[in-house]
Amino acid sequence: ESVRLWASDCRPAAVQLISSGLFPCAPVYPSLAVDIRMLDFVTRLFLRISPNHTAWCGTVDDFLRCQGYKLEGKDPLRHRFGNSLQWFNSLQASCDAFVTDLLNRTGHALRGETEEDEREQERCRVTIEEARDEDSPAGDSGCAGEFDLEYTERNTDEARSRKRKRSDKEETRPSYARSRPSEYLRRRCPTCFGGEFDTEKDRLSWSDVIVCLDACFTQRHNTQPRDPTRQHPDSFFIPQSEVEAVEARVEKARSQAAHATKKTKTSGEQDTEDDHLEDGMLLSKAVLDSCGNSFKATHEFLAKVIPKGCDVTAVMALLCRHDRPLWVVNMSTPGERQHYAITLLEKLFEHLPRFMHVGVLYDIGCHLERSCLKWGLLEEHMDNLVFAISVFHVFGHQWACQVIYHPRKCEGFGLSDGEGAERLWHGIQHLIAYTRITGYHLRIYTLDTQFHFLNGENLLKMGTWVQRKYKSLCAKRAENEKELAESGKPLSLLREQWRLQVQTQTRPLPSQSKNKGKMVVEECMRLRRSQKALDKRVKLLQDIIANPNAIDYEVASAEVDLPRVLEDYKKTTEKLRRKENALGATEKKQIHHLAKSPYVNKAMNARALKTRLCERVRSRKFELDRVERSCRKQRSEKQLNEHTEDSVRRRDPGIQQLALKYNKLVREMKDLIVLKRAPKNAIAPAPIDVSELFKLDIADELWQDIGLNYDEIDVEQKPPPPWLADESVRQGIRAMLELDRCEEEEERLAVERRAMQSWLKEEWDVAKCAINDTGVQYLLES
């Protein structure tokens, strides 16, 4: 069929072709036009497979040739068809952006808002960013004051004082009070951000929204000359200039804090050698360091990929709990540096009301929170943040870290798993080869298009998602209610035992030190001084009571204080006696001589090693409980159980190494006893059989403290707590935690359902207003 068109300035050929259902390959003098339905089909196909214009055009050319239609030229379709598809996709995106802007303006009119409000909001954001850059974070800004072992208390006095200082500073800054999330976030996920959060009905008692973070190092880009700039009108990518600004601010905060720390140490204040809790953290330094050694992501300068030949080494995404991407950043460093996560979280809080709380799931959430407190990062948002670790990665962390950061043990996360990013990377894996060699800006545009497609597909399946979550919720609830009933323990007892378990398993453990023996001797000398002071106090009170000339109120006060002081004197004397007997010396001069005793130093180091060894073996048993229970009940969780067991077994060599170090110290202690360089009546402990280390027999040398009783707690021989020794209590604690998460998930699903209904109603009202005469007239006038 031959169609002749007459083109002129008032009726261009491109306009006539589009009116006829054909899309031209060029705006002026087009030499090829493609059916718009065919372009739409190819667009939808390339969203599901890797875009390949060469293969597509070659197939069409070969098909037409076989049908008797020979196209002229060596490559008659590829270049011109690619142009048509590119600008057709750009026109589609521009149309979507135009319609979205049309609906947004109508929505503002319905809510009584104006465009001036939006401009004021943007001016406020820029001003706050400038003020934040002018603020120089102090070296101790991450401190959170005295820390309480109660795992539920996250707000310390220092944090509250920082908050008061921050509020005083913010009084001089312009602010724009949001009553709900921005339109950008409501478009990205109406289920998370579509509700009216200024009402109590749509607020939760914990995190209002849950997001997850992750990086993908397979989505990189080869270095090559930049192609012409082409930007999606509704891009997910944060501009590189903003990322670099955050990077500079993070480096400045770290350098200033490091300088302040160095200055403090040179002034004479030194860190303690034993393990300790860092300011604001619920975990000790040793646990956090062990978690850091287990993950490459914590080593920011460790290359996960070879950066040579790549201008983009990875992408990092921030997603909501429904696996919908919110923002994405291009990474240009070999490792997973923290300023990328800081950039994404700061961008999120720019679009949220100040009162909303956010739960963050990240592979190394413990280290991200540690850095924020240590360096003063995200300082103005820390009161609104709760960190946890995604489910599939949490088993690579230490057990103490899992107790605090596991989303099934952390309040407010429900049944969210934090693995949405992994599902996103799986959804765009067909683009890995294409985006690695394509142009820089075309790569970003292609990823933006793919993210929009995935979000659209996700929204269409949201009802199925909610149904599947609710069915899973009901199944988990029924299963754990049965386990809780089988345990036969009341909830009050289980909650108290869980609190004690957390307090015990997250406490700092003793470390090895070259001055361990000296520290124990100094402890004995301190107890002796305390004993003398209490003895003088007892005699003074007794003299007051026996003095007939004493004033009545002095006698009454002395009679009240005397029993308490006598009790303290008795406890101190008994404690001193046990420690001195353990050291093998009872005289003051002998205690002084033991300060440099090599045997005492080795014995204390052996005690520290054995304490850490016992805790790690216990933690290993707690971690393997899931696998053992699943094997007994024959559950279909094979992949997760294999991953859990593999993560736990990887730490076995480290535990065995601790046992070998302990046995070495035991041999050295025996040699000192033979050489008569040990205290009187000293007994060396028995070595541990490494081959039998994980069998946990009650008669194992691992649990025997002969020759190492330097702590009065161990001498008292208390029975093991129920959370450790009673299987029914442990079963009840697991069921209780799962039931708590089920209740949270049910409440969150109800809030999300109301949010979706509210969003749908508002969208329907806006759409009706936009198409009637009143709405059109308003839009034309505006």
Side-chain angles (χ1 to χ4, degrees):
E1 181 181 359
S2 177
V3 179
R4 183 175 295 234
L5 298 175
W6 291 95
S8 61
D9 292 339
C10 59
R11 294 195 66 193
V15 175
Q16 295 187 59
L17 288 171
I18 292 177
S19 301
S20 302
L22 303 173
F23 200 88
C25 65
V28 182
Y29 302 120
S31 58
L32 178 72
V34 185
D35 193 304
I36 290 178
R37 292 172 298 179
M38 177 61 72
L39 291 174
D40 189 43
F41 173 79
V42 175
T43 298
R44 297 177 188 276
L45 176 65
F46 284 175
L47 288 171
R48 293 165 172 83
I49 65 172
S50 179
N52 193 336
H53 306 86
T54 303
W56 172 264
C57 294
T59 303
V60 172
D61 185 19
D62 183 58
F63 173 76
L64 293 177
R65 180 173 55 80
C66 292
Q67 298 297 320
Y69 301 100
K70 175 63 178 175
L71 299 180
E72 297 181 358
K74 184 178 179 180
D75 189 9
L77 280 179
R78 185 178 62 85
H79 182 71
R80 292 179 293 173
F81 180 84
N83 285 342
S84 299
L85 184 62
Q86 172 183 343
W87 296 114
F88 173 75
N89 293 336
S90 297
L91 182 60
Q92 280 184 317
S94 298
C95 287
D96 290 341
F98 176 79
V99 173
T100 300
D101 181 65
L102 193 75
L103 295 175
N104 285 342
R105 285 187 286 166
T106 306
H108 291 316
L110 285 176
R111 294 191 300 272
E113 300 174 356
T114 63
E115 295 183 11
E116 181 62 28
D117 294 335
E118 295 183 13
R119 289 193 290 270
E120 177 64 23
Q121 176 184 336
E122 182 61 23
R123 285 197 297 270
C124 164
R125 185 187 70 80
V126 174
T127 307
I128 290 178
E129 288 294 328
E130 292 174 352
R132 182 192 300 161
D133 292 338
E134 293 174 0
D135 294 337
S136 56
D140 57 350
S141 60
C143 297
E146 185 178 357
F147 178 75
D148 190 355
L149 277 178
E150 293 293 334
Y151 76 105
T152 56
E153 298 183 7
R154 285 181 175 267
N155 295 327
T156 58
D157 295 335
E158 184 70 17
R160 285 192 287 271
S161 66
R162 291 203 315 270
K163 187 176 180 181
R164 286 195 296 271
K165 293 178 182 178
R166 196 163 60 243
S167 61
D168 295 340
K169 187 183 297 183
E170 287 172 351
E171 288 179 358
T172 61
R173 299 180 182 176
S175 64
Y176 184 90
R178 291 185 183 274
S179 61
R180 66 178 192 176
S182 67
E183 291 300 324
Y184 176 92
L185 285 177
R186 291 167 66 86
R187 289 199 311 273
R188 290 293 182 257
C189 184
T191 311
C192 285
F193 307 103
E196 299 296 336
F197 289 91
D198 55 347
T199 62
E200 289 296 328
K201 189 169 95 170
D202 286 339
R203 294 296 306 280
L204 293 167
S205 56
W206 43 83
S207 303
D208 294 297
V209 294
I210 295 176
V211 297
C212 65
L213 283 163
D214 197 15
C216 178
F217 282 85
T218 58
Q219 291 287 345
R220 53 183 183 268
H221 181 254
N222 295 341
T223 304
Q224 54 184 294
R226 294 290 174 93
D227 56 330
T229 302
R230 185 188 180 203
Q231 186 175 1
H232 198 283
D234 189 13
S235 179
F236 286 82
F237 282 83
I238 297 178
Q240 198 64 24
S241 57
E242 295 186 25
V243 179
E244 293 172 356
V246 174
E247 180 182 12
R249 193 166 67 248
V250 169
E251 292 300 325
K252 181 180 178 182
R254 287 181 172 180
S255 61
Q256 290 183 348
H259 178 72
T261 304
K262 182 178 179 181
K263 185 177 180 180
T264 303
K265 287 187 176 183
T266 54
S267 64
E269 181 181 346
Q270 299 291 336
D271 293 335
T272 59
E273 293 181 338
D274 275 341
D275 190 16
H276 62 279
L277 292 170
E278 295 184 342
D279 294 326
M281 294 299 295
L282 300 171
L283 293 177
S284 66
K285 181 179 181 298
V287 173
L288 292 169
D289 291 342
S290 298
C291 291
N293 295 331
S294 302
F295 286 86
K296 291 182 180 179
T298 58
H299 304 286
E300 297 185 306
F301 297 94
L302 180 64
K304 284 191 172 183
V305 298
I306 301 176
K308 184 178 181 181
C310 294
D311 54 1
V312 176
T313 56
V315 293
M316 178 177 281
L318 178 72
L319 300 92
C320 70
R321 84 184 203 106
H322 305 98
D323 305 345
R324 300 168 65 86
L326 305 177
W327 281 282
V328 184
V329 294
N330 279 322
M331 298 172 59
S332 56
T333 56
E336 191 171 334
R337 299 189 185 176
Q338 289 180 344
H339 68 269
Y340 297 112
I342 300 297
T343 302
L344 290 167
L345 291 176
E346 285 186 352
K347 179 63 71 173
L348 174 65
F349 278 105
E350 287 176 12
H351 290 253
L352 289 177
R354 290 182 179 272
F355 56 79
M356 287 187 66
H357 290 74
V358 179
V360 180
L361 288 159
Y362 186 31
D363 300 350
I364 50 172
C366 54
H367 269 264
L368 183 58
E369 183 177 20
R370 182 190 197 184
S371 298
C372 289
L373 292 172
K374 186 176 182 180
W375 311 116
L377 309 175
L378 295 173
E379 187 176 6
E380 61 269 32
H381 306 303
M382 286 302 292
D383 295 330
N384 292 11
L385 272 174
V386 179
F387 291 92
I389 300 172
S390 50
V391 168
F392 202 69
H393 292 80
V394 74
F395 300 107
H397 291 255
Q398 299 295 315
W399 172 252
C401 186
Q402 296 182 36
V403 168
I404 298 296
Y405 289 98
H406 197 301
R408 297 295 183 267
K409 300 177 176 66
C410 187
E411 181 182 357
F413 284 89
L415 299 180
S416 302
D417 56 16
E419 298 297 342
E422 300 294 339
R423 292 185 281 271
L424 175 66
W425 307 142
H426 176 74
I428 63 173
Q429 64 179 351
H430 60 276
L431 296 176
I432 292 176
Y434 174 78
T435 55
R436 190 165 296 179
I437 61 174
T438 191
Y440 179 83
H441 296 99
L442 179 58
R443 167 185 171 274
I444 296 177
Y445 193 97
T446 302
L447 290 174
D448 276 328
T449 305
Q450 187 72 44
F451 293 150
H452 279 287
F453 167 71
L454 293 176
N455 272 5
E457 293 291 302
N458 182 286
L459 185 60
L460 290 176
K461 300 175 182 177
M462 188 54 63
T464 306
W465 185 92
V466 173
Q467 184 184 41
R468 185 176 69 252
K469 283 289 182 181
Y470 191 75
K471 287 182 178 179
S472 174
L473 162 69
C474 294
K476 284 182 178 292
R477 176 184 291 164
E479 176 186 346
N480 287 284
E481 285 177 347
K482 180 180 177 182
E483 289 191 3
L484 185 62
E486 290 176 353
S487 69
K489 304 296 182 182
L491 278 175
S492 58
L493 172 65
L494 296 177
R495 295 196 185 280
E496 176 64 18
Q497 288 300 311
W498 170 243
R499 185 188 67 81
L500 294 174
Q501 178 182 347
V502 172
Q503 182 175 341
T504 302
Q505 293 187 330
T506 57
R507 71 174 187 267
L509 299 175
S511 305
Q512 291 190 87
S513 170
K514 61 181 180 181
N515 296 320
K516 272 290 181 184
K518 182 180 179 181
M519 293 167 60
V520 176
V521 172
E522 289 176 351
E523 175 69 9
C524 289
M525 297 172 66
R526 184 188 64 80
L527 287 172
R528 189 182 287 275
R529 289 193 296 269
S530 299
Q531 182 195 35
K532 289 183 177 181
L534 288 171
D535 186 35
K536 290 181 180 179
R537 178 66 176 165
V538 168
K539 291 180 179 178
L540 176 62
L541 293 175
Q542 289 175 342
D543 292 341
I544 293 175
I545 295 173
N547 186 4
N549 299 324
I551 304 175
D552 291 343
Y553 76 86
E554 291 182 348
V555 174
S557 177
E559 290 177 346
V560 172
D561 292 342
L562 183 60
R564 177 179 55 82
V565 177
L566 282 172
E567 182 68 20
D568 292 342
Y569 176 78
K570 181 180 179 182
K571 289 182 179 179
T572 304
T573 303
E574 181 65 20
K575 187 176 180 180
L576 176 63
R577 183 186 64 80
R578 287 198 297 263
K579 285 187 175 289
E580 288 182 340
N581 288 341
L583 288 172
T586 55
E587 298 181 7
K588 185 176 180 180
K589 60 180 182 179
Q590 292 177 327
I591 291 291
H592 279 293
H593 288 307
L594 289 177
K596 297 182 180 180
S597 170
Y599 182 88
V600 174
N601 188 63
K602 292 182 184 299
M604 291 307 302
N605 282 328
R607 175 64 182 166
L609 273 177
K610 196 167 191 180
T611 303
R612 301 181 72 86
L613 184 61
C614 291
E615 287 298 326
R616 294 192 65 176
V617 172
R618 291 193 191 105
S619 299
R620 180 182 183 276
K621 176 63 177 176
F622 274 97
E623 289 185 83
L624 288 177
D625 261 359
R626 179 189 179 93
V627 180
E628 294 173 357
R629 286 185 293 119
S630 299
C631 292
R632 289 196 299 266
K633 296 184 178 182
Q634 296 181 354
R635 295 176 181 170
S636 58
E637 299 181 0
K638 183 177 179 181
Q639 183 180 6
L640 183 58
N641 292 334
E642 289 178 354
H643 173 72
T644 305
E645 190 170 5
D646 180 65
S647 299
V648 175
R649 304 286 185 198
R650 280 191 304 171
R651 292 194 282 273
D652 287 356
I655 299 176
Q656 293 170 343
Q657 191 66 26
L658 275 179
L660 293 175
K661 288 182 180 179
Y662 172 80
N663 289 340
K664 180 181 178 182
L665 284 176
V666 169
R667 289 194 300 270
E668 293 175 353
M669 292 168 64
K670 289 182 178 179
D671 293 340
L672 290 174
I673 293 176
V674 172
L675 296 174
K676 297 184 179 181
R677 296 178 59 188
K680 184 180 179 181
N681 301 325
I683 301 175
I688 296 174
D689 187 357
V690 180
S691 62
E692 305 289 329
L693 183 60
F694 300 124
K695 291 187 177 180
L696 299 184
D697 191 346
I698 195 172
D700 286 346
E701 295 82 1
L702 179 64
W703 315 112
Q704 309 303 319
D705 290 330
I706 298 175
L708 295 175
N709 290 331
Y710 290 92
D711 195 337
E712 70 279 0
I713 296 178
D714 299 298
V715 180
E716 292 177 4
Q717 296 295 328
K718 291 183 178 180
W723 61 263
L724 179 63
D726 192 338
E727 179 60 31
S728 60
V729 171
R730 292 169 60 187
Q731 178 184 352
I733 289 176
R734 290 191 296 264
M736 176 196 68
L737 293 175
E738 287 284 347
L739 284 174
D740 289 345
R741 303 295 83 79
C742 289
E743 294 299 325
E744 294 169 1
E745 182 72 12
E746 185 176 27
E747 186 175 350
R748 189 175 293 277
L749 287 175
V751 170
E752 290 175 347
R753 185 176 66 252
R754 291 194 295 269
M756 179 63 88
Q757 292 171 346
S758 172
W759 176 80
L760 283 170
K761 183 179 182 301
E762 182 176 334
E763 289 292 301
W764 181 248
D765 293 340
V766 168
K768 287 193 298 184
C769 181
I771 62 176
N772 65 21
D773 295 337
T774 305
V776 172
Q777 182 65 28
Y778 164 75
L779 292 174
L780 290 175
E781 291 176 357
S782 63

